[in-house]
Amino acid sequence: MKFGVFSVMDFHPDRQGSAAGFYREMIKLAVAAEQHGYDSVWVAEHHFANYGLCPAPPVLLAAIAQKTERIRLGPAVCVLPFHDPVKVAEEYAVLDVLSDGRLDFGGGRGYLAHEYAGHLVDREESQARFDEALEVIELAWSGQLFEYAGRYFRFPKITLNTLPVQQPRPPIAMAALSPTTYARIGKSGYHLLSVPYILEHITVLGDLLAGYAAATVGARTLSDGPPVTVAFHVHVAPTQAEAETRAQPYITRYCETRAVGNTKNFAQLMDQQLIAVGDPAHVADIFRQLAGYGVDRVLCLMNFGGMPFPLVQESLALMAREVLPHLTAVQR
């Protein structure tokens, strides 16, 4: 298994101070993750509210690229219906160049009503806009002269002046929230990004990933890298009791401010094994279970709910010392 770091960047100014300070913390977290041996760092795209502070992941990831050398960089996700797809292709191509080929591209449709309203996009059009945008991005990254005439996007004959370092394209993964999306992504040949904490129980993830795996049989393979990536809320402490005491208020605040998955309390999330909070042995057991379901990479969501940065750093380091060495060789 591989392990990365992911941040929704939910911002709580009463506890975290300024946006500028929070951005600096995210860069420090990425640098520390590389030093501790994590394989990747990902940030979410959100708009118009503190639900998520980063409206422009390629800008933040480019800043991280200049402070790091090895760790891979990705949006989780770029919300394609909101954007001109040629602009997306250009911006992320520049990021791939600046990072010497470290981009992992995550795409999705988004789900927040206020973000669709703010972009003047009808949510009923989200799937069709997503499909067209993804097609345009792949055409643009091919390096060939292309033109496109779709329902939502039209481009004359153009070619990009900056292409990704990774050819024929950077790895591409698609986000799945609804169960029907898992199989759809598998049939398309793309990699999968999942956030299981909204599910009823961790065992449901096993069923969904089995469906994804079955759908990939015979599908075209479009990307290198780990096929199945899941994001998991993680907090590791020396003892189980200490980890739960530390994490509970911040998990609670995170869930209370979410538009999706905010119906469970901390005890339910622990009982359903939808978060990995505990001592190193407990957290490692959950990750082994994920590996058994077919998970190739876990993105550890550690700076949630306004958790103080020193606690985030402690968890990141302890997991690197006590958990990663026992799991990076685990095969699914």
Side-chain angles (χ1 to χ4, degrees):
M1 295 184 80
K2 295 180 181 294
F3 292 87
V5 172
F6 169 52
S7 181
V8 176
M9 295 194 66
D10 55 307
F11 182 51
H12 305 269
D14 58 322
R15 293 178 173 272
Q16 293 168 299
S18 70
F22 191 37
Y23 280 119
R24 286 193 291 269
E25 281 188 2
M26 188 63 221
I27 294 171
K28 290 178 181 177
L29 182 62
V31 171
E34 178 172 85
Q35 293 170 345
H36 287 304
Y38 292 81
D39 100 296
S40 54
V41 59
W42 304 67
V43 294
E45 174 190 326
H46 284 296
H47 302 267
F48 315 133
N50 289 337
Y51 186 94
L53 192 62
C54 186
V59 178
L60 177 55
L61 293 171
I64 291 171
Q66 300 310 296
K67 297 287 187 179
T68 56
E69 297 180 354
R70 174 196 56 79
I71 200 164
R72 297 191 63 80
L73 310 165
V77 292
C78 175
V79 186
L80 297 185
F82 296 163
H83 302 295
D84 175 333
V86 167
K87 189 68 171 174
V88 170
E90 290 177 325
E91 290 177 349
Y92 281 98
V94 171
L95 174 59
D96 201 49
V97 170
L98 291 175
S99 65
D100 295 324
R102 290 188 276 146
L103 170 65
D104 277 15
F105 184 75
R109 288 188 289 156
Y111 54 88
L112 294 175
H114 75 268
E115 294 187 344
Y116 270 90
H119 284 96
L120 302 177
V121 174
D122 185 346
R123 289 179 70 181
E124 296 300 316
E125 300 173 353
S126 65
Q127 186 65 64
R129 284 180 175 272
F130 175 90
D131 291 342
E132 284 194 14
L134 186 58
E135 187 176 359
V136 171
I137 290 167
E138 289 213 53
L139 287 170
W141 280 350
S142 74
Q144 304 300 311
L145 186 71
F146 77 95
E147 61 183 329
Y148 189 84
R151 180 179 177 183
Y152 301 103
F153 303 107
R154 300 180 66 88
F155 299 97
K157 290 183 179 180
I158 54 174
T159 185
L160 298 193
N161 61 12
T162 299
L163 294 174
V165 171
Q166 299 174 93
Q167 289 295 320
R169 66 183 68 78
I172 298 175
M174 300 289 105
L177 284 179
S178 64
T180 56
T181 311
Y182 284 76
R184 189 177 192 275
I185 294 171
K187 290 177 182 177
S188 73
Y190 291 106
H191 291 171
L192 178 74
L193 281 170
S194 172
V195 184
Y197 96 112
I198 66 171
L199 302 175
E200 295 178 5
H201 194 278
I202 194 174
T203 55
V204 177
L205 178 65
D207 296 335
L208 292 171
L209 293 184
Y212 168 78
T216 63
V217 175
R220 57 180 183 155
T221 301
L222 293 171
S223 296
D224 295 326
V228 176
T229 296
V230 302
F232 235 74
H233 294 77
V234 176
H235 189 76
V236 188
T239 69
Q240 187 69 30
E242 186 176 4
E244 293 184 23
T245 298
R246 284 182 176 184
Q248 181 171 359
Y250 305 107
I251 286 284
T252 300
R253 184 176 297 108
Y254 180 90
C255 290
E256 287 176 347
T257 58
R258 301 300 92 188
V260 172
N262 61 351
T263 60
K264 304 182 183 75
N265 60 37
F266 179 78
Q268 290 171 321
L269 290 168
M270 289 291 293
D271 182 63
Q272 296 163 5
Q273 296 182 294
L274 294 170
I275 56 177
V277 172
D279 60 28
H282 175 78
V283 171
D285 284 344
I286 291 178
F287 292 155
R288 289 190 185 95
Q289 189 169 352
L290 294 177
Y293 291 153
V295 173
D296 301 284
R297 176 169 55 194
V298 177
L299 304 185
C300 302
L301 203 168
M302 292 186 170
N303 63 341
F304 49 80
M307 178 178 284
F309 193 55
L311 291 184
V312 177
Q313 291 175 303
E314 288 179 25
S315 176
L316 183 84
L318 182 59
M319 181 166 154
R321 291 196 308 270
E322 302 290 341
V323 180
L324 265 58
H326 303 291
L327 293 170
T328 50
V330 171
Q331 299 296 316
R332 72 186 183 101

